[in-house]
Amino acid sequence: MACATRWIRAAGPCEWDMTTLLEVNDLRTRFHTPEGTVYAVNGISFRLDEGETLAVVGESGCGKSVTMMSILGLIAKPPGEIVSGSAMYNGADLLQLTEQQLEHVRGKEIGMIFQDPMTSLNPVLTVGRQITESLRTHMGMTAPQAQRRAIDLLELVGIPDPERRLSEYPHQFSGGMRQRVMIAMALACVPSILIADEPTTALDVTIQAQIVELAIRMREQMGMALIWITHDLGVVASIADRVMVMYAGFIVEEAGVDALYGDPRHPTLWR
């Protein structure tokens, strides 16, 4: 069970009962631009436990997405630079792995749903090709096995007539359906951790609710841990065990969801 009491970062550690899957310490990421250095992430530390849902909230530009992309080696270098820190997963520091080693982690061990599926999905490849590629790369499946698994995944995330839709392209899907495809791709190899980077942005309220409900159901069925990045505090209340509040590249507050909603300490939560 996640810790039920809130603490500000300076207040010291909180005790946890579950096995830790991911432990990040003193992560610092900068971007060197012609206008100067952007200090995007400034020495943050956090952990994620088995089966836990951690919500990461904060205003635009506070470092939420950059934190997760740094951990997975998705920061462009240059202009980006990870100055210090560690991200321990399965006994290995993700920040020290080579690109080839990280490719075995991304998708297989840690899945990620990006904010905009239209720019994340390849527009010139069919949905089926994009899902089966991951299955063949990480799981060693044959083409027929990957095809069958892809159909099952599309059915799992609620896409009707999945066998026919495998041969269609991303532009032939609605925004909500594209996001479901992204979820299917992220879940294809049954990862231990799923990172969802504002997956309901630009979707209407009804579709947002369906995506959140789907994520909760997938987490429960697969027993994975979930990191949910969002601006939507309503979603946080329904999905999270624990909340991490970021501001200007720092973690400024961290608490169990009930404690945080009962008495938020940082102004970013009640503007």
Side-chain angles (χ1 to χ4, degrees), residues 168-197:
E168 295 183 347
Y169 292 85
H171 72 271
Q172 295 175 277
F173 290 74
S174 67
M177 286 296 179
R178 284 195 293 267
Q179 198 58 279
R180 289 173 185 268
V181 170
M182 285 294 299
I183 294 173
M185 290 176 64
L187 296 176
C189 300
V190 195
S192 300
I193 299 171
L194 180 63
I195 300 172
D197 187 1

Side-chain angles (χ1 to χ4, degrees), residues 68-255:
M68 302 307 159
M69 294 178 73
S70 297
I71 291 168
L72 292 178
L74 297 174
I75 296 295
K77 305 174 187 178
E81 178 190 13
I82 298 174
V83 179
S84 70
S86 63
M88 302 305 298
Y89 172 77
N90 259 355
D93 183 357
L94 298 178
L95 302 186
Q96 300 302 319
L97 299 183
T98 65
E99 179 61 25
Q100 187 175 17
Q101 290 171 323
L102 274 173
E103 286 177 358
H104 290 290
V105 175
R106 293 193 297 250
K108 183 178 182 182
E109 301 288 336
I110 303 176
M112 188 160 183
I113 306 168
F114 294 95
Q115 185 175 141
D116 184 359
M118 199 58 204
T119 57
S120 302
L121 293 169
N122 191 321
V124 300
L125 297 179
T126 65
V127 162
R129 168 74 181 277
Q130 295 182 66
I131 298 175
T132 56
E133 183 176 15
S134 174
L135 292 167
R136 298 184 70 178
T137 300
H138 293 302
M139 307 294 282
M141 292 185 178
T142 63
Q145 288 172 332
Q147 182 88 354
R148 182 66 254 171
R149 172 67 174 158
I151 292 170
D152 291 343
L153 284 164
L154 290 187
E155 187 173 17
L156 186 69
V157 298
I159 292 182
D161 197 6
E163 188 167 2
R164 176 181 63 83
R165 305 220 68 174
L166 277 183
S167 61
E168 295 183 347
Y169 292 85
H171 72 271
Q172 295 175 277
F173 290 74
S174 67
M177 286 296 179
R178 284 195 293 267
Q179 198 58 279
R180 289 173 185 268
V181 170
M182 285 294 299
I183 294 173
M185 290 176 64
L187 296 176
C189 300
V190 195
S192 300
I193 299 171
L194 180 63
I195 300 172
D197 187 1
E198 302 196 45
T200 58
T201 298
L203 300 177
D204 66 51
V205 176
T206 303
I207 301 301
Q208 286 182 22
Q210 292 174 358
I211 296 299
V212 171
E213 182 182 351
L214 175 61
I216 294 172
R217 180 160 52 87
M218 294 299 97
R219 179 197 63 189
E220 292 172 349
Q221 288 182 6
M222 297 184 173
M224 61 191 174
L226 179 62
I227 298 176
W228 192 279
I229 303 170
T230 185
H231 290 94
D232 192 334
L233 295 178
V235 170
V236 172
S238 66
I239 199 171
D241 299 308
R242 186 163 52 95
V243 186
M244 186 169 86
V245 184
M246 292 190 67
Y247 181 79
F250 296 90
I251 297 174
V252 293
E253 187 170 2
E254 199 168 344

Side-chain angles (χ1 to χ4, degrees), residues 9 13 20 22-29 41-48 67 71 82-89 92-96 251:
R9 173 57 53 187
T20 298
L22 176 67
E23 185 164 8
V24 176
N25 287 298
D26 194 34
L27 177 64
R28 299 173 187 269
T29 302
V41 179
N42 300 303
I44 71 169
S45 300
F46 68 93
R47 62 196 294 176
L48 178 71
T67 295
I71 291 168
I82 298 174
V83 179
S84 70
S86 63
M88 302 305 298
Y89 172 77
D93 183 357
L94 298 178
L95 302 186
Q96 300 302 319
I251 297 174

